Amino acid sequence: MITSGSFAPDDGEFANLLNAAKGPVIALDPCGTLWNTFWQTPRWSQLWQAWRLAPGQTQEGDVWNVVSALKNVNPAAGSSALSAALLPADEYSDLTRQLMDCLLQFVDDTAHVSDLPTLAGKLWADDLWTAIARWSRKYPYNPFLQAARTLLTRDGAGDSVKAIRNRMATYYHPHVAETFSGTSGLNLNTFRQRSGQIIFLTPDIHCMESAELTDVYAFLVTALRAIGALHHITFSLIEPVLITEGEIP
């Protein structure tokens, strides 16, 4: 016997959290069901400030500049958290994350690029050796570029360079890039002054059928929680649950 089912948000948990006005909250909300419910309930929109992040759905949603989010936290901790979210340990090597960590610390230290899509474009257009060589001409004594050059001499560096380039291709794609571009938008600094804020992540069916876009939403959940913790913010997380629809003989 095969049981069929689908994922749906937990409306009860969602309503309880919003009625209690205890935030902040991340709502992983496939197809935007909870987003629509939120705006159809006037008292919630009065209590809460709502954000919607929807990479993969062009011209929809707000913006979160994850590079800017590193400005107000410990630089080493922030870059480490972001590289771990971009390159999860179950899929990528320690060397790959260390290289990404160096690049993020370089960006934070020099403000050479303003956001993740810009960095992704540079790492996608050139191989990592070429990009680091170009940056080193302008920043010959930057310790993070020096550390990256050392890492590139290790065994497995070629695989790490390829993995980073492939990963950055997703964040350079216009329909993903617009969620992470720019300077204005979601700012975790404001969550300390107003905890009643909720972030909706609303992949549509096409996003959920794409492995690359599914990874982007997983990155958002991980990065928001990890960088939020560095801002002394603890998010409640609402996730979809499996709804059993019946049995197929």
Side-chain angles (χ1 to χ4, degrees), residues 18-141:
L18 268 66
N19 287 332
K22 293 182 179 179
V25 175
I26 298 171
L28 187 52
D29 178 26
C31 300
T33 301
L34 297 182
W35 171 259
N36 292 330
T37 301
F38 176 85
W39 289 110
Q40 292 166 6
T41 309
R43 69 179 183 279
W44 289 344
S45 59
Q46 294 171 4
L47 291 172
W48 293 82
Q49 181 174 6
W51 304 88
R52 185 186 185 193
L53 299 177
Q57 302 169 71
T58 183
Q59 297 180 346
E60 291 192 31
D62 294 299
V63 172
W64 182 40
N65 187 333
V66 297
V67 169
S68 292
L70 300 180
K71 294 297 183 185
N72 297 296
V73 300
N74 177 276
S79 62
S80 178
L82 189 53
S83 62
L86 282 167
L87 303 162
D90 59 346
E91 299 179 53
Y92 298 93
S93 68
D94 289 341
L95 177 58
T96 305
R97 279 188 299 282
Q98 289 168 13
L99 276 167
M100 195 74 221
D101 193 350
C102 288
L103 298 175
L104 291 169
Q105 289 198 69
F106 161 70
V107 167
D108 184 57
D109 182 54
T110 62
H112 184 73
V113 299
S114 59
D115 54 36
L116 179 59
T118 302
L119 176 62
K122 294 180 181 298
L123 297 178
W124 176 81
D126 295 319
D127 64 56
L128 191 51
W129 284 283
T130 302
I132 289 175
R134 181 181 296 111
W135 295 335
S136 294
R137 288 194 290 271
K138 184 174 182 179
Y139 304 97
Y141 306 110

Side-chain angles (χ1 to χ4, degrees), residues 26 53-55 64 66 85 171 179-180 186 199-202 214-226:
I26 298 171
L53 299 177
W64 182 40
V66 297
Y171 291 89
T179 295
F180 301 98
L186 178 68
I199 302 169
F200 292 88
L201 310 180
T202 59
T214 299
D215 286 346
V216 172
Y217 282 89
F219 161 71
L220 275 170
V221 173
T222 303
L224 283 166
R225 300 182 86 180

Side-chain angles (χ1 to χ4, degrees), residues 163-186:
I164 289 173
R165 186 173 188 269
N166 289 342
R167 188 66 162 149
M168 291 298 99
T170 299
Y171 291 89
Y172 184 57
H173 190 284
H175 294 176
V176 175
E178 61 188 5
T179 295
F180 301 98
S181 300
T183 56
S184 59
L186 178 68

